Amino acid sequence: GVVPVCSEPLAIQLRSFPLSKARPGPAKESRLSARKKVLFSMVTLLLFFGALELILTAAGVRPLRYDDDPHVGFVSSVPLFVEGKNGEMATAPNKIRWFNDQHFARRKPSGVTRVFCVGGSTTYGRPYSDATSFCGWLREYLPAADPGKKWEVINAGGISYASYRVAKLMEELADYEPDVFVIYSGHNEFLEERTYAGIIKTPEAVRGLQAALGHTRTYSFMAGLLRRGNAAKNASATPVLSKEVDTILDQSAGLDRYVRDEKLEANIMAHYRFNLSRMVDIAQAANARVVFVSPASNLRNSSPFKSEHVRGLTEAQQSQWEALLKMAQSHLAADRYEEALGAIDQALAIDPVHAHSLYLRGQVLETLERFEDASASYGAALENDVCPLRILPKMRASLAEIAASRGVTLFDYHAFLAARSDHGIPGDEWFLDHVHPTVEGHRLLALELIHVMEPQALLSGKNALNEDSIQQVKERVLAGIDDQAQGIALRNLGNVLNWAGKKEEAYAAATKALALAPGDAYTHYLLGDLAGHLGETAEAEQHFRELTRFDLDPKDAPYFPDAHYQLAQIAGARGETAESLQLLEKTLKLQPDHKGAGAALTVVLQAHGKKLLQQGRNAEAVAVFRKLERLFPDDRMAANLLG
């Protein structure tokens, strides 16, 4: 609402205070026209509020959009950086789980250009760390690009941080004299559960007016007064998030919590747009430049996380859809790609929004060398992913629109990688998973960001990088990489993809991990488990046998007993009952409560005893059946076999 500044109308006040003393003479009535009165009143009002804005600016009042998000609140605000000795800021110990360890002086040294890189796990450098992130590469390349400047590049990327958390973090970083914010944000908007009840009830026109007024300090000051008087009401209207990320996927229900919800998606989109604009406000209030990066994602080699059928599908239609997909899989197994495409298209005519069907169609079209159609199908699969952990195309369009309207720099990283990908479809050549670039992908992004900075006068002169200096920096950074650490990071990535049910992608990540860290026991177990699920039994056995050579304590390696159990199953399936029995007994020795091994032991003892009988080794068979009777006294089959 509008708070009146004075109790009397402005025109009355003006008549009460004449500008000059009346001169004697004939009285002439001078009246202003209604148009001039309105114009004069508006000018006076504008001057008043302009003066008020200046006073509030001097008093330190910040625009509401700077430090208030009407969509979400937070339980508390724990600073990312804490001050140590000699005024040095360092990443807070309780934040190391989500952020890289960074250090810088609270008071920026003279002549230093301070760059903050903010965003989610891509900015962080996942699955690796700061050294090979685009932020780390910027730190190495900028001094070579502009030797006349002192550069300070700080990686403030937070794992799983969405735009609203990034904007909140920028409030803190604005106090550390930033010169540039490089912002890479958009993949994590659907990670945390939140509602928009209060925002939904607010009419669109009112929301637009509030957004415009939110840029002014006068509105912010008045809103602050009103908010203090209605603190309890406002608190209940705004959803409050935990101080750190609590993703839906980390909750017990995981993927089951994701359902198709167009209204929620629209509100998340609106919130994302709000946060992008708010980031610009915060940066500009700190006299810092903004460089937005349009996030890139893996289209070719990343399947959707979750699919849902279109609403209103009947049981008959669903049965027909399933039959068509089964037919398509059969055609694919026989390399009949045209027939497979026909079956998929018929299935999509029944359900046009099933993400996995769209992704499968993209794969078939790519095999048929219909690359433009394949790219469109992959894009449709991304758009219809019910668990969208990659930036949606409409979000990328919003980012471009806001960057243009606010006059800030935007680098389209997705288009950059697409132009360098086979047939314009980015895949595993640039990504380690669905969104995280390879080390080379990060390096090229850093180089392009420097090119973007040059025309923005962020460099003191022309970019001094050349082929020799670029190669020297590259060799120096790559020489410092710890292959073992990166291998374990890739193994952890494979584990996450396996948990998400993406077996083939998990297998690819684990294979790369083993190449970097060939002695890592858990990578062997993970690859064995994945190979088994993918029907590669021989490879699974190879990894499990390699693992049994390790001297591991089950307390430290809980997967170690399970490796023996899975190997026992492989041996048992081949009829090698003696080895299967030996491996099951080892499993139970390592983990007495292993349910799978306990249940399998009965079956294998019976099978082994019968095999011995068939071979005429009766005494050995009797010993096995007596063991079965002793271990499982309630098992009637043991007595029958012994008899």
Side-chain angles (χ1 to χ4, degrees):
V2 177
V3 179
V5 178
C6 304
S7 58
E8 295 181 322
L10 185 61
I12 294 174
Q13 296 175 56
L14 291 172
R15 287 200 297 271
S16 302
F17 296 91
L19 296 176
S20 61
K21 192 174 181 181
R23 295 180 180 178
K28 290 184 179 180
E29 189 175 359
S30 176
R31 293 184 179 179
L32 292 173
S33 67
R35 182 180 176 184
K36 287 183 178 180
K37 286 180 181 179
V38 171
L39 182 62
F40 186 67
S41 298
M42 288 178 63
V43 170
T44 307
L45 201 62
L46 288 172
L47 288 173
F48 172 79
F49 281 111
L52 186 57
E53 278 285 300
L54 292 174
I55 293 169
L56 292 175
T57 301
V61 176
R62 299 189 296 201
L64 190 65
R65 288 168 64 89
Y66 182 101
D67 52 14
D68 185 64
D69 185 343
H71 301 74
V72 294
F74 297 93
V75 170
S76 63
S77 182
V78 180
L80 172 58
F81 295 107
V82 293
E83 191 167 359
K85 295 179 180 179
N86 303 321
E88 183 184 61
M89 306 302 296
T91 306
N94 58 351
K95 294 278 192 175
I96 289 295
R97 177 181 171 188
W98 295 278
F99 292 87
N100 286 290
D101 187 16
Q102 302 284 282
H103 299 262
F104 59 93
R106 183 179 185 87
R107 301 301 304 170
K108 185 173 66 177
S110 177
V112 166
T113 299
R114 181 170 282 176
V115 181
F116 281 108
C117 301
V118 297
S121 54
T122 298
T123 305
Y124 176 98
R126 275 301 246 201
Y128 307 135
S129 59
D130 171 54
T132 53
S133 69
F134 72 82
C135 192
W137 284 106
L138 269 178
R139 191 181 299 117
E140 299 298 324
Y141 274 128
L142 276 170
D146 188 354
K149 269 190 175 182
K150 297 177 184 176
W151 294 93
E152 192 174 66
V153 183
I154 300 151
N155 189 333
I159 295 170
S160 298
Y161 263 48
S163 61
Y164 46 87
R165 289 191 182 273
V166 174
K168 183 71 175 174
L169 173 59
M170 284 178 63
E171 291 179 25
E172 174 190 344
L173 303 181
D175 292 332
Y176 301 135
E177 304 175 83
D179 292 293
V180 184
F181 281 106
V182 179
I183 304 171
Y184 191 118
S185 183
H187 289 314
N188 299 327
E189 300 308 300
F190 293 82
L191 264 183
E192 291 188 271
E193 195 164 30
R194 57 201 192 275
T195 59
Y196 295 95
I199 302 298
I200 293 169
K201 293 175 183 176
T202 306
E204 183 66 34
V206 176
R207 275 187 273 168
L209 180 61
Q210 287 176 337
L213 291 174
H215 288 287
T216 69
R217 289 165 173 81
T218 304
Y219 177 79
S220 305
F221 178 70
M222 293 177 178
L225 293 176
L226 292 171
R227 188 168 48 204
R228 280 194 287 273
N230 298 282
K233 182 180 178 181
N234 288 337
S236 63
T238 303
V240 177
L241 299 179
S242 61
K243 61 185 177 183
E244 277 305 339
V245 179
D246 180 19
T247 70
I248 298 172
L249 291 174
D250 286 336
Q251 298 169 22
S252 57
L255 283 171
D256 293 339
R257 299 287 289 274
Y258 282 92
V259 294
R260 198 182 302 280
D261 187 337
E262 290 84 359
K263 185 176 286 187
L264 176 63
E265 180 182 304
N267 281 290
I268 288 175
M269 285 281 299
H271 194 191
Y272 178 63
R273 290 176 59 88
F274 172 86
N275 289 318
L276 293 173
S277 192
R278 185 166 170 239
M279 290 175 197
V280 177
D281 290 337
I282 292 169
Q284 290 179 346
N287 295 317
R289 305 285 286 275
V290 170
V291 178
F292 277 126
V293 180
S294 186
S297 58
N298 187 340
L299 289 182
R300 175 186 286 114
N301 303 113
S302 181
S303 60
F305 281 85
K306 185 178 179 181
S307 301
E308 252 186 27
H309 284 298
V310 67
R311 290 191 184 94
L313 211 62
T314 65
E315 287 187 19
Q317 286 175 317
Q318 187 162 336
S319 296
Q320 186 182 1
W321 180 90
E322 289 170 357
L324 287 165
L325 257 291
K326 189 175 180 180
M327 184 189 302
Q329 295 286 2
S330 176
H331 287 315
L332 285 174
D335 295 336
R336 296 191 296 267
Y337 297 108
E338 290 287 0
E339 291 89 337
L341 179 61
I344 294 169
D345 283 343
Q346 289 181 63
L348 284 169
I350 297 170
D351 181 358
V353 299
H354 193 270
H356 277 87
S357 304
L358 289 161
Y359 180 75
L360 182 62
R361 183 175 187 270
Q363 290 181 308
V364 174
L365 286 166
E366 192 173 3
T367 304
L368 292 170
E369 298 185 356
R370 291 172 54 183
F371 301 113
E372 190 173 338
D373 291 338
S375 180
S377 197
Y378 284 136
L382 187 157
E383 287 188 76
N384 287 284
D385 192 343
V386 181
C387 178
L389 303 184
R390 293 173 288 179
I391 186 171
L392 297 173
K394 61 187 82 170
M395 293 168 66
R396 192 177 284 114
S398 291
L399 174 57
E401 180 189 330
I402 287 170
S405 66
R406 299 301 302 272
V408 299
T409 303
L410 172 69
F411 173 64
D412 193 338
Y413 184 41
H414 186 76
F416 171 82
L417 291 184
R420 286 155 182 78
S421 302
D422 290 342
H423 313 294
I425 308 172
D428 278 352
E429 70 273 30
W430 296 116
F431 294 93
L432 298 168
D433 57 8
H434 58 301
V435 292
H436 298 113
T438 61
V439 171
E440 181 65 5
H442 275 286
R443 187 183 74 87
L444 293 181
L445 173 55
L447 288 171
E448 290 305 311
L449 286 172
I450 293 172
H451 288 309
V452 165
M453 289 179 178
E454 185 179 359
Q456 304 299 320
L458 292 171
L459 303 183
S460 57
K462 188 177 179 182
N463 184 351
L465 283 170
N466 54 46
E467 288 186 13
D468 289 340
S469 58
I470 288 172
Q471 187 62 25
Q472 287 170 11
V473 170
K474 179 180 178 179
E475 290 174 0
R476 184 174 72 248
V477 172
L478 294 181
I481 290 177
D482 183 339
D483 286 345
Q484 180 74 13
Q486 289 211 337
I488 292 171
L490 277 174
R491 173 252 281 170
N492 292 338
L493 171 62
N495 205 30
V496 172
L497 291 169
N498 183 34
W499 173 87
K502 306 180 84 165
K503 303 292 183 184
E504 292 182 359
E505 291 162 46
Y507 176 82
T511 301
K512 295 174 186 174
L514 193 64
L516 291 170
D520 185 60
Y522 185 66
T523 305
H524 279 289
Y525 171 75
L526 181 60
L527 271 172
D529 184 58
L530 289 165
H533 276 96
L534 295 172
E536 301 293 337
T537 306
E539 184 182 349
E541 181 177 3
Q542 176 187 346
H543 288 296
F544 289 135
R545 289 200 182 281
E546 181 67 26
L547 185 57
T548 58
R549 298 191 182 99
F550 287 83
D551 184 18
L552 300 173
D553 187 336
K555 293 179 182 177
D556 300 325
Y559 54 84
F560 192 47
D562 197 61
H564 288 79
Y565 168 66
Q566 294 211 46
L567 200 53
Q569 289 183 303
I570 293 171
R574 284 200 301 259
E576 297 171 0
T577 54
E579 184 182 15
S580 182
L581 183 59
Q582 181 185 8
L583 287 163
L584 285 174
E585 289 174 339
K586 179 68 180 291
T587 303
L588 291 166
K589 182 179 178 181
L590 294 169
Q591 185 183 336
D593 62 346
H594 194 292
K595 293 181 180 179
L601 186 60
T602 309
V603 178
V604 174
L605 280 168
Q606 291 176 13
H608 186 51
K610 290 176 183 177
K611 186 176 182 180
L612 290 170
L613 276 177
Q614 291 169 357
Q615 294 173 348
R617 298 159 65 182
N618 295 353
E620 293 175 70
V622 167
V624 170
F625 293 143
R626 287 199 185 281
K627 185 174 185 177
L628 179 64
E629 188 178 43
R630 185 177 71 255
L631 292 174
F632 304 97
D634 296 331
D635 188 347
R636 294 185 178 182
M637 183 59 71
N640 291 337
L641 289 170
L642 186 59

